[in-house]
Amino acid sequence: MKIITIGREYGSGGRTIGKMVAEKLGIPYYDRELVDKAAKTSGLAVEAIEENDQIVTRSFLYDLAIGTSYGYVNSTGVPLDLNTQVFLAQREAILEFAQSPCVIVGRCADYILRDREDVLKVFIFADRKARLERIAKEYGEEASKAEKLLAQSDKRRARHYEEFTDSIWGARRNYDIMLNSATHGAEKTAEIICMLAKED
Amino acid sequence: MKIITIGREYGSGGRTIGKMVAEKLGIPYYDRELVDKAAKTSGLAVEAIEENDQIVTRSFLYDLAIGTSYGYVNSTGVPLDLNTQVFLAQREAILEFAQSPCVIVGRCADYILRDREDVLKVFIFADRKARLERIAKEYGEEASKAEKLLAQSDKRRARHYEEFTDSIWGARRNYDIMLNSATHGAEKTAEIICMLAKED
């Protein structure tokens, strides 16, 4: 049994699929929960982490972080910017969770666990039309708002990934399998992932 | 049952996997065979097609094509360059083959059949190390030659795809599933494809 990391485009249903996989395999699912865990181990306030979660606004955060005293400092003792602190706190949580089989959605988990052989790295995507429909249906957003949300969210995820890894979000090189959830549907997509996770 | 198109990185075993899939499903497999078929329907010599297959060297071919008389001409009656003629001839062959279930490897088949709903579009990739090992083992190439072959072949495939489509070779947007053959192995990769091809 493996650790399963799931990267996903906004609106592709990666979260739902991740939950299905965890349920089918009877293992824990970590997404928002990671944030709380990270907060606890790092001493950062949950609110600060939630607010800065997967958003990169360097200058603002740098100002905010200077003069405060969080757990993570650079080699000369200066606190790292808040965004980096959040990343490092989440990283610690991921490493702890990954001591036993689980599903981890987002949070650069594929990168953080890249050197382990017992990790199945999945990326879920879908065409634009299917994602817009899903966002509208799932979150009750109007079409125009869904368009904006989609563009912003994907950009944020890409920037966050590229900020903290030396690789590109969604580049095939980082994954074992990439699935178009619009073609296969959530159920079938989850089944394929489970099938691969059960292999040695 | 579906048409299965397989795009693949050089050395990822896409050809082998395509053959396995065709065998498991009991349907025809088209790769090199497409070239012959294309030659027959277009009247181009098989040798010319083989030579120019998936290679783009515009200026040279343009010179060559001018003044000759192939089947494909532009709107003012001037023969198209040989490379384009080869592409169009292969395209015709693909459209003909795709009248019944089959496996088609390469040749921009995913793009040519992009508007059809009964097509499963697959892309096979693998990490560099695994591909180099595979090239050396399969084709008996020395390490240094394998490096060069890999770089050249992928570049050719990408250029060919981008020359004749409005999209990017290997971009997830063009596929239903992308599989890392080094992680899963050829057998398991073929099984996953068969499983999806049998769905409605």
Side-chain angles (χ1 to χ4, degrees):
Chain A
M1 182 68 77
K2 290 186 172 186
I3 312 292
I4 300 153
T5 64
I6 301 184
R8 75 291 181 222
E9 290 183 340
Y10 186 72
S12 69
R15 206 184 151 85
T16 309
I17 292 163
K19 279 185 190 160
M20 281 179 174
V21 169
E23 207 163 296
K24 280 176 199 287
L25 298 177
I27 58 177
Y29 163 88
Y30 299 115
D31 186 356
R32 209 85 204 148
E33 294 76 4
L34 257 186
V35 175
D36 301 343
K37 178 75 185 173
K40 278 180 205 153
T41 57
S42 71
L44 292 172
V46 175
E47 294 72 28
I49 290 187
E50 279 183 345
E51 219 163 84
N52 294 290
D53 183 42
Q54 302 203 345
I55 304 178
V56 178
T57 52
R58 266 190 166 289
S59 57
F60 170 67
L61 287 173
Y62 188 73
D63 292 342
L64 199 73
I66 288 297
T68 63
S69 151
Y70 294 110
Y72 299 99
V73 295
N74 71 12
S75 58
T76 58
V78 176
L80 297 172
D81 67 89
L82 187 53
N83 211 38
T84 304
Q85 301 215 18
V86 169
F87 175 77
L88 292 173
Q90 291 182 340
R91 182 177 173 278
E92 272 185 31
I94 286 170
L95 292 174
E96 195 181 321
F97 288 142
Q99 286 175 8
S100 54
C102 64
V103 175
I104 308 173
V105 173
R107 272 80 179 153
C108 308
D110 58 288
Y111 180 82
I112 291 163
L113 302 172
R114 68 192 177 286
D115 291 330
R116 287 192 32 183
E117 295 207 340
D118 58 344
V119 177
L120 180 70
K121 290 165 288 178
V122 180
F123 190 88
I124 310 283
F125 63 100
D127 56 80
R128 196 175 174 72
K129 193 168 155 276
R131 291 196 289 151
L132 287 173
E133 282 171 8
R134 204 178 167 283
I135 294 166
K137 197 177 161 193
E138 193 98 337
Y139 305 105
E141 305 287 352
E142 306 153 31
S144 65
K145 211 172 161 192
E147 285 264 10
K148 204 175 167 187
L149 252 174
L150 188 148
Q152 281 180 342
S153 301
D154 276 1
K155 206 178 280 179
R156 270 184 194 166
R157 286 177 187 177
R159 284 181 68 188
H160 181 262
Y161 194 92
E162 284 147 38
E163 181 82 6
F164 292 109
T165 77
D166 53 9
S167 191
I168 292 169
W169 182 71
R172 60 180 178 270
R173 202 64 57 224
N174 306 328
Y175 308 98
D176 299 312
I177 185 166
M178 302 177 75
L179 288 153
N180 184 333
S181 61
T183 306
H184 313 301
E187 185 63 38
K188 175 58 65 182
T189 303
E191 264 175 43
I192 295 168
I193 297 169
C194 289
M195 199 181 100
L196 292 172
K198 283 182 200 160
E199 304 287 315
D200 53 67
Chain B
M1 184 68 77
K2 292 186 171 189
I3 311 292
I4 300 153
T5 65
I6 302 184
R8 75 290 181 221
E9 290 182 341
Y10 186 72
S12 68
R15 205 182 151 86
T16 310
I17 292 163
K19 278 185 192 162
M20 281 178 175
V21 169
E23 206 163 298
K24 280 176 198 289
L25 298 176
I27 58 179
Y29 164 88
Y30 300 115
D31 187 356
R32 209 84 203 152
E33 294 77 4
L34 257 185
V35 175
D36 299 345
K37 178 75 185 172
K40 277 181 207 153
T41 58
S42 71
L44 293 171
V46 174
E47 294 72 26
I49 291 188
E50 279 182 346
E51 219 163 83
N52 294 290
D53 183 42
Q54 303 202 345
I55 304 178
V56 178
T57 52
R58 264 189 166 289
S59 56
F60 169 68
L61 287 174
Y62 190 72
D63 293 342
L64 199 71
I66 289 298
T68 63
S69 151
Y70 295 110
Y72 298 99
V73 295
N74 71 12
S75 58
T76 58
V78 175
L80 297 172
D81 67 89
L82 186 53
N83 212 36
T84 304
Q85 301 216 18
V86 169
F87 175 78
L88 291 173
Q90 290 182 341
R91 183 178 172 277
E92 271 184 32
I94 286 170
L95 292 174
E96 195 180 321
F97 288 142
Q99 286 175 7
S100 54
C102 63
V103 175
I104 308 173
V105 174
R107 273 79 178 154
C108 307
D110 59 289
Y111 179 83
I112 290 163
L113 302 172
R114 68 191 177 286
D115 292 330
R116 287 191 33 181
E117 296 207 340
D118 58 344
V119 177
L120 180 72
K121 289 164 289 177
V122 179
F123 190 89
I124 311 282
F125 62 100
D127 55 78
R128 195 175 174 72
K129 193 169 155 277
R131 292 196 287 151
L132 288 174
E133 281 171 9
R134 206 179 165 283
I135 294 165
K137 197 176 161 192
E138 193 99 336
Y139 305 104
E141 304 288 352
E142 305 153 32
S144 64
K145 209 173 163 192
E147 285 265 9
K148 203 174 169 186
L149 252 173
L150 188 148
Q152 281 180 341
S153 301
D154 276 359
K155 205 178 282 179
R156 270 185 194 166
R157 286 177 188 178
R159 283 180 68 189
H160 181 263
Y161 193 93
E162 283 147 39
E163 180 83 6
F164 292 108
T165 78
D166 52 9
S167 192
I168 293 168
W169 182 71
R172 60 180 178 271
R173 204 62 60 223
N174 306 328
Y175 308 99
D176 299 312
I177 185 165
M178 302 177 75
L179 289 153
N180 185 332
S181 61
T183 305
H184 312 301
E187 184 63 37
K188 174 57 66 182
T189 303
E191 264 175 44
I192 294 168
I193 297 169
C194 289
M195 200 180 101
L196 292 172
K198 283 182 201 160
E199 303 289 315
D200 55 71

